[in-house]
């Protein structure tokens, strides 16, 4: 049986929420509308969605605050967040990604762009058809349980960082360009800029803590995961 992906739409403007919901429904998604952070929190506690569409400008807690909160909580950590922003400027987009969003879309957006991005985050999030464990030095990743540990200590990673780390560990000691990483990790990167890779690598390094230097920047070429960091 095909499951209908649930999309939690956190948007305070009813007209926009309605437009998004209608388009999602017509394209095989189940939209759930929450007017603010509190309503969204209630929905998240009831049933977890497959993806959260989160407006930046909300009454009460902002989308940025909510993204940070949900990314830090065990229950919601793995749910991809697609941030909706009315501002087009770069620092805000980066702040959104830093807060834990997986992607962003800028208002006004076309229905096709919205659907493409929702599908892309869902594809990225789709579990790898593997239950393998990957090990590199003292860093271990278990794809079956979604756990990552370094020297036996559990680490907290967002869904994109997890997938990025999984790929880098499976192909360790090799240099991957940003474009290659977008192809292999993001899959559908029609709307994603190469700079997005840098943002997620930065977040991955932070999440890895002491093992962060295992993700090396190879100047002019890209990134490499190594068991023997030079720095
Ligand atoms: Ca709004």
């Amino acid at each position: 049986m095909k499951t209908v992906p649930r999309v939690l739409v956190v948007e305070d403007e009813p007209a926009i929420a309605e437009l998004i919901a209608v388009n999602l429904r017509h394209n095989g998604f189940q939209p759930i509308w929450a007017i603010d952070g509190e309503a969204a929190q209630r929905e998240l506690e009831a049933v977890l969605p497959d993806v959260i569409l989160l407006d930046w400008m909300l009454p009460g807690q902002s989308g940025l605050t909510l993204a940070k909160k949900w990314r830090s909580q065990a229950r919601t950590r793995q749910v991809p967040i697609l941030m909706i922003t009315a501002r087009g400027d770069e620092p805000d987009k980066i702040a959104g990604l830093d807060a834990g969003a997986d992607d962003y879309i800028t208002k006004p957006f076309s229905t096709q762009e919205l659907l493409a991005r929702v599908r892309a985050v869902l594809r990225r999030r789709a579990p790898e058809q593997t239950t393998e464990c990957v090990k590199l030095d003292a860093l271990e990743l278990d794809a079956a349980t979604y756990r990552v540990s370094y020297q036996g200590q559990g680490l907290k990673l967002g869904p994109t960082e997890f997938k990025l780390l999984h790929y880098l560990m499976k192909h360790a000691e090799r240099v991957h360009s940003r474009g290659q990483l977008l192809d292999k990790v993001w899959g559908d990167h029609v709307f994603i800029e190469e700079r997005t890779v840098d943002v997620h690598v930065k977040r991955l390094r932070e999440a890895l803590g002491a093992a962060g230097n295992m993700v090396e920047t190879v100047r002019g070429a890209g990134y490499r995961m190594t068991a023997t960091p030079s720095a």
Side-chain angles (χ1 to χ4, degrees):
M1 201 178 79
K2 198 165 170 273
T3 56
V4 178
R6 292 169 62 90
V7 183
L8 179 62
V9 182
V10 191
E11 168 64 70
D12 59 308
E13 288 162 76
I16 295 175
E18 176 68 19
L19 184 71
I20 293 173
V22 165
N23 281 298
L24 287 173
R25 206 172 290 123
H26 282 170
N27 286 277
F29 298 95
Q30 185 193 350
I32 299 109
W33 178 35
I35 197 162
D36 58 17
E38 264 181 56
Q41 190 63 45
R42 282 195 296 275
E43 294 294 342
L44 288 171
E45 278 158 22
V47 185
L48 275 188
D50 294 286
V51 57
I52 301 170
L53 263 176
L54 178 59
D55 187 25
W56 182 294
M57 300 293 282
L58 290 167
Q61 291 180 293
S62 73
L64 196 66
T65 307
L66 292 167
K68 276 185 192 156
K69 183 172 88 174
W70 294 334
R71 196 51 87 224
S72 70
Q73 291 174 352
R75 178 168 170 78
T76 46
R77 186 170 302 135
Q78 301 296 343
V79 182
I81 298 172
L82 182 55
M83 203 95 173
I84 305 171
T85 170
R87 314 160 173 187
D89 53 332
E90 206 58 29
D92 278 357
K93 290 174 180 174
I94 299 298
L97 292 170
D98 272 339
D102 293 273
D103 198 4
Y104 53 81
I105 185 163
T106 307
K107 284 182 193 171
F109 46 80
S110 73
T111 302
Q112 287 315 310
E113 185 184 2
L114 175 74
L115 291 168
R117 285 180 184 252
V118 169
R119 290 192 184 106
V121 287
L122 283 171
R123 231 191 326 272
R124 252 180 269 162
R125 192 243 191 176
E128 301 267 324
Q129 296 303 310
T130 163
T131 53
E132 68 189 328
C133 283
V134 201
K135 203 169 183 297
L136 189 67
D137 190 32
L139 188 63
E140 285 181 65
L141 179 147
D142 185 342
T145 60
Y146 242 76
R147 287 204 172 95
V148 179
S149 66
Y150 181 64
Q151 296 176 338
Q153 294 275 44
L155 301 173
K156 294 173 181 177
L157 267 69
T160 304
E161 285 71 56
F162 185 90
K163 212 174 164 200
L164 179 60
L165 179 65
H166 192 190
Y167 182 79
L168 287 172
M169 285 179 75
K170 279 204 301 195
H171 306 90
E173 312 300 342
R174 262 192 260 166
V175 181
H176 307 275
S177 71
R178 288 165 180 81
Q180 285 168 339
L181 290 172
L182 283 174
D183 272 344
K184 302 294 184 188
V185 178
W186 276 258
D188 181 343
H189 65 271
V190 182
F191 302 108
I192 299 178
E193 300 155 40
E194 294 202 342
R195 196 181 317 183
T196 301
V197 175
D198 301 336
V199 172
H200 285 281
V201 165
K202 179 172 169 270
R203 275 163 56 180
L204 174 60
R205 283 190 180 125
E206 284 165 5
L208 291 177
N213 64 354
M214 290 172 75
V215 185
E216 291 187 328
T217 302
V218 182
R219 193 180 293 216
Y223 294 105
R224 169 176 55 207
M225 187 93 206
T226 179
T228 52
S230 51

